[in-house]
Amino acid sequence: MLDYRFIKENLDAVKENIKNRNMTADADIVVELFDKRTALVTKRQDLQQQRNQNAAAMKGKMEADARQKLIEEGKKIKEDIAAVEKELEEIEPALEEAARKIPNMCNPQVPIGKLDTENLEVKKVGTPRKFDFEPKDHVQLMEELDLIDFERGTKVSGQKFYYLKNEAVFLEQALIMYTLNVLRKHNFTPFITPDVARQEILQGIGFNPRGNESNVYCIEEEGTCLVATAEITLGGYHSEEILDKSKLPLMYCGLSHCFRREAGAAGQFSKGLYRVHQFDKVEMFVYCAPEQSDELHEKLRLIEEEIFTGLGLPFHVVDTCTGDLGAPAYRKWDLEAWMPGRNGGEYGEVTSTSNCTDYQSRRLNVRYKDDDGKNKYVHMLNGTAIAVGRAMLAIVENYQNEDGSITIPEALVPFCGFDKIGPKK
């Protein structure tokens, strides 16, 4: 969340940012509640000082009437302190709830727009393949090669679940190992993270665990949720901690299952593996000092580009517009790969990387001791190294052959143990 005082001192800019992000939040009520809280805290301090003075006066010698008067004054001060604390107990959660709705400020370079169609293309890598036959989409290809079973996935688990089969199992594991080896080269610390996190950790990262718009599965009566990304578990790893500045940045990567309700997601762009309820992902996560975050954000994007360049997939990079940013993001790059089976051939998102500055660390209370001896909030960044389902989709569609077979990208062959997937005999 944003600092309360920052919201108060930059109210017009905060309100303009909410408007540009096409979000609904009330910055005025945050300022109103913050002012009330500040006044109550000051009043409590004054009363506590009066209580201390009253207690000190009681230690001296005095007439009985004077002592009785001090006793009555002490009782009144105690009652007044209790009343102020009760008001604070009511205002504190209301202030926090209102402030959580305020999105992070945007980098001034972020393009202003409401829809993803207003994202700005900043880079293009590779050229989409021109087929001399009519390309199929990944669902048709994978079903014909007996690599996936959506029908039985629906029967057993519900819509948007599936079984991977045969060579697709090895292809998935190859994508994970290939990606982890790239990240190892860049000195990331690898994790396999829990698939469950406490609701307060999700809220700290910026996910809403409750309500019809929630994109996460909550575990009833447990106060926990299935994670939608390892960003949640890696971001919660150092919650309520003070980090050693000399060890920053901390570069982590985490492999996890990801579970998403995908509330409201439908349509042709949700077909097959593009939007499902469960998938595997390798996530990058960085804790750093504020002065490091812009450079590290660029580094995460370049690593994503390296991974997909190594897979031989055409893609472009877009600077995500204000209306398409998630609330925690200060700036976000999306990498979109060419998908021949998507609406006759289009780019589709396969990774993203966000600089969330100190928005998440304030919620999770992750700080570092600066050179001036003061504790300050770290900056947090995240980036998808590989979302396996979407990467597999792009590979299957781009590497398909006229006979219905699929060639394996050269970088994955050592991990797969084969270089082509053909029809079953």
Side-chain angles (χ1 to χ4, degrees), residues 211-224:
N212 293 332
E213 296 303 313
S214 175
N215 202 22
V216 297
Y217 290 101
C218 284
I219 302 174
E220 292 184 13
E221 300 179 2
E222 293 288 334
T224 58

Side-chain angles (χ1 to χ4, degrees), residues 104-270:
N104 199 359
M105 300 301 288
C106 290
N107 184 306
Q109 296 180 322
V110 171
I112 295 174
K114 292 184 177 181
L115 304 172
D116 59 2
T117 52
E118 298 172 88
N119 293 342
L120 179 66
E121 181 183 85
V122 297
K123 189 173 188 178
K124 187 174 285 186
V125 177
T127 303
R129 176 183 170 189
K130 294 187 182 299
F131 291 87
D132 54 10
F133 60 90
E134 187 66 29
K136 302 173 183 177
D137 67 35
H138 70 286
V139 176
Q140 184 178 355
L141 283 162
M142 294 182 77
E143 288 181 341
E144 288 176 354
L145 292 171
D146 198 23
L147 301 176
I148 202 164
D149 194 329
F150 283 103
E151 183 178 343
R152 289 185 175 88
T154 299
K155 178 180 72 173
V156 172
S157 304
Q159 290 286 339
K160 295 187 179 294
F161 288 95
Y162 58 95
Y163 287 86
L164 279 184
K165 300 175 62 180
N166 297 314
E167 293 96 334
V169 174
F170 293 92
L171 179 56
E172 163 146 338
Q173 297 303 309
L175 280 164
I176 292 169
M177 288 304 300
Y178 160 73
T179 301
L180 287 173
N181 275 285
V182 172
L183 297 179
R184 175 163 55 180
K185 182 182 70 175
H186 289 283
N187 297 315
F188 281 77
T189 300
F191 291 78
I192 294 179
T193 76
D195 289 335
V196 174
R198 298 181 186 277
Q199 289 187 7
E200 55 265 32
I201 298 296
L202 273 83
Q203 289 173 325
I205 289 294
F207 282 81
N208 175 21
R210 305 180 189 88
N212 293 332
E213 296 303 313
S214 175
N215 202 22
V216 297
Y217 290 101
C218 284
I219 302 174
E220 292 184 13
E221 300 179 2
E222 293 288 334
T224 58
C225 302
L226 298 178
V227 300
T229 166
E231 175 193 349
I232 294 166
T233 40
L234 292 175
Y237 190 75
H238 287 298
S239 61
E240 304 295 338
E241 294 183 20
I242 298 175
L243 306 178
D244 183 346
K245 185 181 181 182
S246 67
K247 295 182 178 177
L248 298 178
L250 298 175
M251 311 280 286
Y252 294 162
C253 65
L255 169 63
S256 75
H257 300 305
C258 303
F259 301 88
R260 303 190 181 188
R261 291 180 60 236
E262 299 295 358
Q268 59 175 323
F269 298 152
S270 298

